[in-house]
Amino acid sequence: MSRKRASVRREEILAATIEEIESSGLRTLRVADVARRLGLSPSLVIYHFVTKEALVAAAFAHAGENDLYRARRIAATGRSAREKLDEVIAWYMPTGSTRSWKIWIDGWSAGLFDAELRATFAALDKEWKAILASLIDAGREAGEFTQGADSAQTIATRILAYLDGLAIQAMFHTDAVTRELMIEWVSAFVAHELEPPS
Amino acid sequence: MSRKRASVRREEILAATIEEIESSGLRTLRVADVARRLGLSPSLVIYHFVTKEALVAAAFAHAGENDLYRARRIAATGRSAREKLDEVIAWYMPTGSTRSWKIWIDGWSAGLFDAELRATFAALDKEWKAILASLIDAGREAGEFTQGADSAQTIATRILAYLDGLAIQAMFHTDAVTRELMIEWVSAFVAHELEPPS
DNA sequence: GTTTTAACTGAACCGTGATTCAGTAGTGGT
DNA sequence: ACCACTACTGAATCACGGTTCAGTTAAAAC
């Protein structure tokens, strides 16, 4: 069987772990399932990650970093702040491959009682806010957005909160909250936050 | 040992289950912990609820109904729609005894892969929306709120989404989002939804 | 081409925790 | 006071799944 360098195999295992959480949930996640998905032995997974808990933590961090990477690339584009903000927000919403949201709801739940996971999520969230805040500041300087009373950081927090909440609604009431509606509502929210009627 | 009627004991067990989930989380919940909390044997818990899964489902439904009951009582008060709406919203937010939110994040997570739980949450959410929508309609008829383009139901959905999202932020970033800030932000959100600048 | 390293496996171990079951004893009804 | 009912327990069962460990072999190093 094809042997691979540790770094490569670890990435594979992390990806498989996320897929498994995505499709079956964290509560029923078995090391053996992750292994089978790659045609490997459970022992190997432990060999690389020592414990299941560490595997899960690494998998969430990995998935989060991937999403952030993509978001940063969008933000580095040469378009208007508003366009970039819209696209970053669209990417944050459910649908993107890794951004399937189920894993994040599972992650929050686990994070409630796992300090390491909680720290991971806090760090990821901070990065997302930084990206949004930076786009907001850029837009303000370019005159695309008005200079409101609240800091870009604060507005970023609110936007992310709204996105999280809508994602949950969409997750549980597919009928009541479609992706189209979400986009429309978020768009209005952002407009109200950044472009008060003059 | 004090023996009780089944209905009484069941209530006790449900309450203890919620407390246990609240303090230690759903993933590590053991039937034995719930039992110990009441000084009972694990067998009794199973005797009353047949399986752990059923116990958890019943506990969430029970907690949800309790919260709704309180919300309905607030809504039945004889004050202005706006005042009642504010208080219902305040009750929905983290801090209320049962409304400690940790359990709901755990619940969402479990609901992702458990059809029965998902149905329970859907039903509870529907009730919350109905309460809010009814207050919104009442306020509109009384002329407290303006008649916007969106239905009361739709606005209720958005408000609840924002509340859920803010609750998550508050849960994970206690420093960045305090309860006071949440109240302020939600208040502004509601005002914008119901009282557009005339 | 040999040696060394490190990826990898299979079988066994082991703790955990839900559920079962046979029996015990309050309690309400008569 | 007795009966019937049902709340309740303790010990045993049983499956499950993470982790360990002793060994195997591909591949890198020289």
Side-chain angles (χ1 to χ4, degrees):
Chain A
M1 51 243 54
S2 66
R3 214 167 259 218
K4 304 189 178 173
R5 252 176 296 160
S7 60
V8 174
R9 184 102 303 164
R10 288 170 66 98
E11 289 251 333
E12 283 184 1
I13 293 174
L14 291 175
T17 302
I18 291 296
E19 285 166 23
E20 194 61 32
I21 295 175
E22 165 63 28
S23 79
S24 312
L26 188 49
R27 25 182 44 80
T28 63
L29 179 71
R30 283 173 294 183
V31 173
D33 293 335
V34 174
R36 177 147 16 87
R37 197 173 267 264
L38 295 169
L40 303 172
S41 69
S43 338
L44 184 64
V45 175
I46 295 298
Y47 169 75
H48 280 299
F49 292 93
V50 185
T51 73
K52 176 188 171 183
E53 203 186 348
L55 167 67
V56 169
F60 275 115
H62 186 253
E65 288 300 339
N66 279 350
D67 288 345
L68 276 171
Y69 175 75
R70 168 87 178 250
R72 287 203 192 90
R73 285 201 50 186
I74 293 172
T77 299
R79 286 167 293 166
S80 75
R82 178 66 203 239
E83 281 175 328
K84 291 192 285 189
L85 189 58
D86 284 346
E87 200 176 337
V88 166
I89 286 172
W91 170 242
Y92 187 88
M93 287 196 294
T95 283
S97 59
T98 308
R99 289 226 63 73
S100 126
W101 273 99
K102 286 196 200 174
I103 65 169
W104 301 110
I105 293 179
D106 253 345
W108 292 331
S109 163
L112 287 175
F113 300 95
D114 178 325
E116 190 187 339
L117 266 187
R118 194 163 52 250
T120 300
F121 291 130
L124 292 172
D125 185 79
K126 197 176 155 193
E127 291 300 314
W128 276 101
K129 279 181 192 158
I131 293 173
L132 290 190
S134 142
L135 285 176
I136 291 170
D137 279 331
R140 280 176 166 172
E141 279 175 34
E144 289 182 56
F145 305 140
T146 58
Q147 198 76 33
D150 294 312
S151 73
Q153 186 79 13
T154 297
I155 292 177
T157 298
R158 280 190 219 130
I159 292 174
L160 287 178
Y162 195 38
L163 281 167
D164 288 347
L166 286 174
I168 291 167
Q169 288 281 335
M171 211 84 249
F172 283 91
H173 320 287
T174 332
D175 47 328
V177 183
T178 65
R179 185 175 160 83
E180 287 67 41
L181 272 180
M182 274 188 70
I183 291 180
E184 187 186 321
W185 293 354
V186 171
S187 178
F189 186 83
V190 171
H192 178 250
E193 289 278 4
L194 295 173
E195 302 157 3
S198 53
Chain B
M1 47 246 52
S2 64
R3 207 168 264 218
K4 304 190 178 172
R5 253 177 296 157
S7 61
V8 175
R9 187 106 292 170
R10 286 169 65 97
E11 288 252 334
E12 283 185 1
I13 293 174
L14 291 176
T17 302
I18 290 296
E19 285 166 24
E20 193 61 33
I21 295 175
E22 166 62 28
S23 80
S24 310
L26 188 49
R27 20 180 51 74
T28 63
L29 179 72
R30 284 172 296 182
V31 173
D33 293 333
V34 174
R36 178 147 15 88
R37 198 172 266 264
L38 295 169
L40 303 172
S41 69
S43 338
L44 184 63
V45 175
I46 294 297
Y47 169 75
H48 281 299
F49 292 94
V50 186
T51 73
K52 177 187 170 184
E53 204 186 346
L55 168 67
V56 170
F60 275 115
H62 185 253
E65 288 300 339
N66 279 351
D67 289 345
L68 276 171
Y69 175 75
R70 168 89 178 250
R72 287 203 192 91
R73 285 201 48 185
I74 294 172
T77 301
R79 286 167 295 167
S80 74
R82 178 65 201 239
E83 280 174 328
K84 291 191 285 188
L85 189 59
D86 284 346
E87 201 177 335
V88 167
I89 286 172
W91 170 243
Y92 187 88
M93 287 197 294
T95 282
S97 59
T98 308
R99 289 226 61 75
S100 127
W101 271 99
K102 285 195 200 174
I103 65 168
W104 301 112
I105 293 178
D106 253 346
W108 292 332
S109 163
L112 287 177
F113 301 95
D114 179 324
E116 190 187 340
L117 268 187
R118 194 163 53 249
T120 299
F121 291 131
L124 292 172
D125 184 79
K126 197 177 156 192
E127 291 300 312
W128 275 101
K129 280 181 190 158
I131 294 173
L132 291 190
S134 141
L135 286 176
I136 291 170
D137 279 331
R140 279 176 166 172
E141 277 175 34
E144 290 183 53
F145 306 141
T146 59
Q147 199 73 35
D150 294 311
S151 74
Q153 186 79 12
T154 298
I155 291 177
T157 299
R158 280 189 218 129
I159 292 174
L160 287 178
Y162 196 37
L163 281 167
D164 287 348
L166 286 174
I168 290 168
Q169 287 282 333
M171 211 85 250
F172 283 91
H173 320 287
T174 332
D175 47 328
V177 182
T178 65
R179 185 176 160 83
E180 287 68 42
L181 272 181
M182 271 188 71
I183 291 178
E184 188 185 321
W185 293 354
V186 172
S187 178
F189 186 82
V190 171
H192 177 250
E193 289 277 4
L194 295 173
E195 303 157 3
S198 54

